[in-house]
Amino acid sequence: MSENLSRRTTLRLLTGAAAVAAATTGPLPAPVRAAEPPTAGGRVDDLLARLTLDEKLGFLHGAKDPRSLGQAGWIPGVPRLGIPPLRLADGPAGVRVRAHATALPAPVMLASAFDPGLAHDYGRVIGHEGRALGQDVLLSPMVNLIRTPYAGRNFETFSEDPLLTSDLVAEEIQGIQDEGLIATVKHFALNNQEKDRTTVDVRIGEQALHETELRGFEAAVAAGTGAVMGAYNKVDGAHACENRALLTGVLREQWGFDGWVMSDWDATHSTVPSLTAGLDMEMPAGRWFGDALKKAVLDGTVPEDAVDRSVRRILTVMGRFGLLDGTAPARPAARDRESGARLAYRVAVAGATLLRNEHATLPLTGPAARSVAVIGPTATVPFASGGGSAHVVPDRAERPLDAITARAGDGARVTYALGEDLYGKPLPVRGAAFEGQHVRPGRTYTYEGTLDLDEPDEWTFLVHYDGERPKVVLDGTELFAAQDREAELFAGFGLVSTAPDGLKVRRRTLRLTAGRHTLRVTATGGAQGQLFRLRRITTATRAADVAEAVRAARAAHSVVLFAYEDAAEGRDRTTLALPGHQEALIDAVTAANPRTTVVLNTSSAVTMPWLDRTGAVLQMYYPGQEGAAATTAVLFGDTDPGGRLTQTFPVSDTRHPMAGNPRRYPGSGGIQEYSEGVRTGYRWYDAEGVEPLFPFGHGLSYTTFAYAGLTVTPATGGGLTARFTVRNTGRRTGVTVAQLYVGPSPDLTLDQPTRILAGYRRIELRPGQFRHVTVPITARTLSSWDPVRHTWALGTGTRTVRLGTSSRDLLLTARAEVLPL
């Protein structure tokens, strides 16, 4: 073990206590930090003195990597001084480069396990693989709270609850950095939606800001994160990446952060205001921190000391990780693929969340396991990860249909029906070869003809292609015109935008009249040539697919129906309903066979008007490359579904915190108000008396548990200690997640929710086994932020603590006195 690795291990141990404290305790001193090695500060001073101005500026903005590995960003370093370059890779669910990497389950699925230790292991896999793949900085984890169910990146983050989020981010960062990869917590701050994310101006009260959104970032800083990424949006009128109140006031002065702050990609809007506010690095290029900053230094607008300050922050973190003196551990010679795969499976099983299970529909045993109809496109197209910067090229990804068939075994009858078509049927046009048309390099393919319809209908046109997008014009309208830059950037990574054979897919839905329609197609071969297809989905093709699914459902004892929702960075959802015509498919299939389990591969909450007609609903989110094996293991009862919801599922699009309030979401006149205040997520449902579809913390087991003997007593430091007993009263080994919720303090005049998550414990028990459990409730959890004094105020007095299995399923109650510090 190298000396530097020992130093980093020491740093983790020292800052680990601070991470827990930031997540859960009362008023804190500055975060505990390991002392720098005696020569580290001197080494940085020496380098700064020897760097030219141009070399200094090279650290403060991204550049084009001459030997790119497909990562998101690159900082060149200074070879003459032995300062290596930095490669920065996306990585919320695995390392995103051109090469293969372990595609881990989405972070929201990791969070569903309610297991900080598992988050640490998740971070270590990403850290190890990032180093093996030649990366130095990971652009992860994301800790923005799940505020609106429409947000397109909800799957990339953890939870609507600040405590759970804080615990998980601290452990994941420590895992990442234990392996020598620099973590970057993002997006600082209040980037809780994709809609208008680059322009919206967020307004939030100081109390709500500290008690909700900032808790995860504070825990990340206490855990020793090397970098922080600024957000796209504005906060109180100032862009987040030039917001002095956030970047200097909160991050550095309140929390003592000593790493560097980088912008999100193209989120920098100025030179002098950004640098002086606390931004250190512009990504991915140097529009503002390149020549413009050099000019500002040379003409005296910006003192060179301000540049030195930012360079010092970057070099200090590099030194901490052994990148300046050659003490960084050698990069792993290769990824440990099997270890990564095992962790991916563990997380997918631990996060699998059983939402409904009527009449013992699951697990599939006996006749139910011997005659199964599998329905849905994601049964044959593995849905490993979401789109955008979270997309990972997996080592492998088995089809769920194959895993189910293998598990059912010899003699079982497993049938398959598509049900919902994602990629279309061949286009019925005479004289055209649109089903696999090859265009040779340097050539152009053209077609002009007609499309005849006997009656009006809704048509979805699809083009599949691997070169320059073909131009398809119907009745003078171009069907697949280029969108804005951001939409195009993230449209190519996802389930519906990539065909099973890897071709890119674009789609356009139109209402066509009866009669003749003119069709013109132009496709160029370019330098490499290309293959393209032109397809369609119509009322008739959909009806045929549903009819096939119904026949399969009727002929089987049980049905497993895979439903999907494809999310990606750069866009929010417009409805909580399943996309396409999946609701009609579920209605038809459940009418034919009520022993239907719906497996949801979705990013976030969905509405379920079809729920009461199903036998079971299993939430699998985006389960990573081992998702087929994990889903099958849960379906057949080889393991207990271990997940619990980290976000509330609303009944409808009109019954959630954002509904009917455009100022709250997505914003009005460019301004967005977080007027729910401290009542985020389940806290809003409690305050408003709104019944959710499924509450925060909900999840079922294949066995049963009994809770007893809750006692709560005062603890030193202004906290409480809860004790209780859990017994497995069923016949199977299973998992329960004990959850403690605390009510408001009678001594505080500050706004307080009805109750908040105060502690939790994931518990696995064999049949008949019991366990005495102790859970601390710390002073930070019992405190509120005082916006007048600008600090935490402990909520003293008699506090009510409830123990249960979700925010609404509360079984036991106790009261205890919180004593003043």
Side-chain angles (χ1 to χ4, degrees):
M1 179 180 292
S2 73
E3 179 187 356
N4 186 68
L5 184 59
S6 298
R7 289 199 303 266
R8 284 203 318 280
T9 302
T10 301
L11 176 66
R12 181 182 71 80
L13 293 174
L14 288 172
T15 58
V20 174
T24 57
T25 63
L28 294 174
V32 177
R33 306 204 177 278
E36 291 294 335
T39 61
R43 171 67 170 155
V44 171
D45 288 340
D46 176 63
L47 290 173
L48 269 172
R50 297 166 65 189
L51 288 168
T52 68
L53 177 59
D54 286 337
E55 288 170 337
K56 292 175 183 176
L57 295 175
F59 287 100
L60 304 192
H61 64 83
K64 184 176 181 180
D65 187 351
R67 294 181 293 174
S68 176
L69 302 172
Q71 79 277 3
W74 184 69
I75 300 296
V78 182
R80 74 177 182 89
L81 297 179
I83 305 175
L86 292 175
R87 287 187 169 90
L88 300 83
D90 288 315
V95 184
R96 182 179 176 238
V97 293
R98 283 194 299 265
H100 288 271
T102 300
L104 295 168
V108 70
M109 193 169 201
L110 166 69
S112 298
F114 279 71
D115 187 347
L118 189 61
H120 187 274
D121 294 343
Y122 188 95
R124 292 205 69 159
V125 165
I126 297 177
H128 178 87
E129 294 205 352
R131 294 265 295 145
L133 290 166
Q135 305 304 298
D136 306 287
V137 181
L138 185 77
L139 306 175
S140 184
M142 174 179 171
V143 295
N144 301 104
L145 291 186
I146 297 176
R147 175 177 179 263
T148 168
Y150 300 112
R153 301 182 79 174
N154 281 348
F155 69 97
E156 288 189 56
T157 190
F158 298 115
S159 173
E160 68 187 24
D161 182 76
L163 172 64
L164 180 61
T165 296
S166 300
D167 291 348
L168 297 174
V169 70
E171 288 292 339
E172 184 178 344
I173 284 173
Q174 290 172 9
I176 292 165
Q177 297 194 157
D178 278 353
E179 297 294 327
L181 194 65
I182 300 168
T184 306
V185 67
K186 64 184 186 183
H187 310 84
F188 193 64
L190 301 163
N191 184 180
N192 304 112
Q193 66 189 56
E194 297 300 281
K195 174 71 172 173
D196 300 327
R197 69 176 182 173
T198 62
T199 59
V200 70
D201 184 4
V202 177
R203 307 296 171 86
I204 186 173
E206 183 179 323
Q207 180 186 356
L209 176 65
H210 282 268
E211 290 187 25
T212 60
E213 175 78 354
L214 292 190
R215 287 286 300 279
F217 290 100
E218 185 181 6
V221 169
T225 187
V228 171
M229 181 187 291
Y232 282 114
N233 49 282
K234 298 176 183 177
V235 179
D236 290 331
H239 287 286
C241 289
E242 58 183 51
N243 192 305
R244 181 176 179 82
L246 285 175
L247 302 186
T248 297
V250 172
L251 192 57
R252 297 196 183 278
E253 294 176 356
Q254 287 187 21
W255 298 346
F257 177 61
D258 60 1
W260 88 83
V261 178
M262 72 180 76
S263 74
D264 205 337
W265 269 225
D266 296 313
T268 308
H269 296 274
S270 65
T271 300
V272 178
S274 295
L275 185 71
T276 56
L279 184 70
D280 302 306
M281 182 185 288
E282 175 194 2
M283 295 302 293
R287 176 184 177 187
W288 302 102
F289 279 18
D291 289 343
L293 181 54
K294 181 177 181 179
K295 180 179 182 298
V297 172
L298 294 178
D299 67 19
T301 305
V302 173
E304 192 166 348
D305 285 350
V307 172
D308 289 351
R309 180 186 62 188
S310 290
V311 175
R312 179 183 297 279
R313 290 166 176 167
I314 297 166
L315 291 178
T316 297
V317 176
M318 293 179 69
R320 184 187 306 161
F321 282 78
L323 298 175
L324 298 181
D325 59 5
T327 60
R331 292 188 186 276
R335 296 169 42 234
D336 187 342
R337 298 184 180 185
E338 292 310 309
S339 178
R342 287 193 296 272
L343 190 278
Y345 176 82
R346 281 177 56 205
V347 173
V349 165
T353 306
L354 184 61
L355 300 178
R356 173 181 168 87
N357 193 21
E358 296 297 306
H359 310 298
T361 298
L362 292 181
L364 299 176
T365 59
R370 309 297 289 172
S371 173
V372 185
V374 180
I375 296 169
T378 50
T380 57
V381 181
F383 198 176
S385 60
S389 58
H391 180 76
V392 177
V393 182
D395 288 312
R396 59 177 185 249
E398 185 182 12
R399 304 192 316 166
L401 174 63
D402 295 337
I404 291 170
T405 301
R407 176 60 180 80
D410 295 339
R413 182 173 183 270
V414 178
T415 59
Y416 174 71
L418 178 62
E420 174 86 354
D421 191 357
L422 295 183
Y423 307 111
K425 307 290 193 294
L427 198 66
V429 176
R430 294 180 181 178
F434 292 144
E435 190 56 25
Q437 176 66 51
H438 290 271
V439 185
R440 288 182 291 175
R443 303 296 294 272
T444 299
Y445 170 90
T446 61
Y447 169 85
E448 292 189 16
T450 61
L451 183 66
D452 297 318
L453 270 67
D454 294 332
E455 56 187 19
D457 196 5
E458 179 186 276
W459 276 54
T460 296
F461 290 88
L462 304 95
V463 62
H464 303 199
Y465 61 101
D466 63 359
E468 181 181 338
R469 188 180 310 164
K471 184 176 182 179
V472 181
V473 179
L474 183 74
D475 297 334
T477 299
E478 186 173 352
L479 298 184
F480 309 110
Q483 305 175 71
D484 63 77
R485 179 180 176 275
E486 186 171 77
E488 289 291 340
L489 179 63
F490 296 117
F493 302 101
L495 173 73
V496 301
S497 54
T498 308
D501 61 357
L503 267 63
K504 291 171 282 190
V505 178
R506 297 294 185 273
R507 49 182 42 79
R508 176 77 177 274
T509 299
L510 300 170
R511 186 75 187 177
L512 300 184
T513 60
R516 179 161 294 181
H517 299 267
T518 60
L519 179 68
R520 290 189 293 113
V521 180
T522 305
T524 60
Q528 304 296 323
Q530 80 156 311
L531 168 70
F532 81 90
R533 297 185 286 261
L534 190 59
R535 291 182 170 182
R536 98 294 189 189
I537 301 170
T538 68
T539 299
T541 66
R542 284 194 300 270
D545 288 336
V546 171
E548 179 191 18
V550 167
R551 287 193 295 271
R554 284 176 177 159
H557 182 283
S558 54
V559 177
V560 177
L561 191 157
F562 286 82
Y564 76 91
E565 175 261 319
D566 190 26
E569 180 178 355
R571 66 175 187 262
D572 280 351
R573 300 154 70 189
T574 58
T575 176
L576 301 183
L578 290 169
H581 294 77
Q582 293 181 95
E583 290 188 352
L585 171 66
I586 295 173
D587 285 341
V589 169
T590 53
N593 189 335
R595 294 180 299 278
T596 295
T597 296
V598 175
V599 177
L600 292 171
N601 291 132
T602 62
S603 68
S604 188
V606 295
T607 51
M608 304 180 196
W610 37 264
L611 179 66
D612 290 344
R613 295 184 290 279
T614 63
V617 178
L618 177 63
Q619 175 62 259
M620 291 299 295
Y621 298 104
Y622 301 154
Q625 67 178 50
E626 304 303 316
T631 302
T632 299
V634 173
L635 289 173
F636 284 84
D638 300 330
T639 184
D640 205 42
R644 302 297 183 264
L645 290 182
T646 68
Q647 58 194 298
T648 307
F649 277 36
V651 171
S652 72
D653 280 292
T654 63
R655 302 291 285 169
H656 59 77
M658 305 298 119
N661 191 336
R663 190 81 166 181
R664 192 176 283 180
Y665 175 84
S668 177
I671 295 175
Q672 183 180 41
E673 294 178 348
Y674 282 36
S675 54
E676 71 274 16
V678 297
R679 291 171 178 80
T680 56
Y682 63 88
R683 304 174 183 187
W684 178 88
Y685 289 85
D686 291 342
E688 299 296 323
V690 174
E691 191 68 25
L693 181 65
F694 295 111
F696 172 89
H698 172 74
L700 304 176
S701 167
Y702 291 149
T703 188
T704 55
F705 296 90
Y707 286 78
L710 175 65
T711 61
V712 182
T713 55
T716 57
L720 299 171
T721 301
R723 296 179 177 84
F724 54 90
T725 301
V726 184
R727 182 186 298 272
N728 183 340
T729 56
R731 298 181 178 180
R732 304 173 61 98
T733 296
V735 172
T736 185
V737 176
Q739 301 162 46
L740 292 157
Y741 294 85
V742 63
S745 162
D747 296 344
L748 289 180
T749 58
L750 298 166
D751 194 17
Q752 299 177 77
T754 304
R755 54 180 168 266
I756 61 171
L757 182 69
Y760 54 89
R761 183 66 53 83
R762 179 184 176 88
I763 305 161
E764 182 174 356
L765 297 174
R766 299 184 303 274
Q769 185 182 10
F770 69 91
R771 184 170 301 162
H772 300 299
V773 180
T774 300
V775 177
I777 301 174
T778 57
R780 171 58 64 86
T781 298
L782 298 169
S783 299
S784 297
W785 182 266
D786 186 338
V788 174
R789 296 170 52 235
H790 310 295
T791 190
W792 292 97
L794 180 64
T796 55
T798 302
R799 306 290 292 268
T800 300
V801 178
R802 292 182 170 88
L803 171 65
T805 54
S806 81
S807 65
R808 290 295 178 94
D809 298 300
L810 302 172
L811 309 172
L812 301 172
T813 301
R815 291 173 178 82
E817 192 78 11
V818 176
L819 304 175
L821 292 174

